[in-house]
Amino acid sequence: MWAERAQSLAGCGPASGGRSVDVDSANAVRKPVHPADVSVDVLAWLARAAVGLGRWDDARRAVEDVMALAGEAGGADHRLAYVAAHVAAWVALTQGCYDVVARHARDACAAARAARDPLGALRVRLLAAEAERRMNRRRLAERLVRYRSEE
């Protein structure tokens, strides 16, 4: 069910019939029906898909929904906090809000470490390094991508 709705949103699945999907269909996908972790993953995917389609308002709304769902779970589930901050940093990077990327990257990196997800922490560090590179702060970007065993 989720896969068909997601493909329909992207306009590539059999449910779309090769035509564009209206906003009500997209909002129907965004409503959390499953447990919070599944909903956060689906909303994170929808935020990325909305960026790919150039639908910036939908991407921002999906990020807000992801952050709200992760906030409802509280600090108990670090994976949800990581996914929420990571997708927020990614959407901010695509929109050129580099200071926002740094803030969300710090939160996501801390949550990934708390969730014992070293690859997640690395992904976020690469996002932060890309934001620094785009601001012509190459030395800071180099420091972000260097491996540090103490972290």
Side-chain angles (χ1 to χ4, degrees), residues 1-22 25-30 34 42 45-46 49:
M1 179 174 121
W2 281 102
E4 290 173 4
R5 285 186 182 173
Q7 287 177 346
S8 175
L9 173 66
C12 61
S16 69
R19 58 185 158 67
S20 177
V21 179
D22 62 339
S25 298
N27 287 336
V29 176
R30 289 178 47 227
H34 293 290
V42 169
W45 184 89
L46 287 176

Side-chain angles (χ1 to χ4, degrees), residues 57-76:
D57 292 334
D58 290 340
R60 278 189 225 108
R61 279 195 299 272
V63 167
E64 289 170 4
D65 291 348
V66 168
M67 298 295 272
L69 279 174
E72 287 175 10

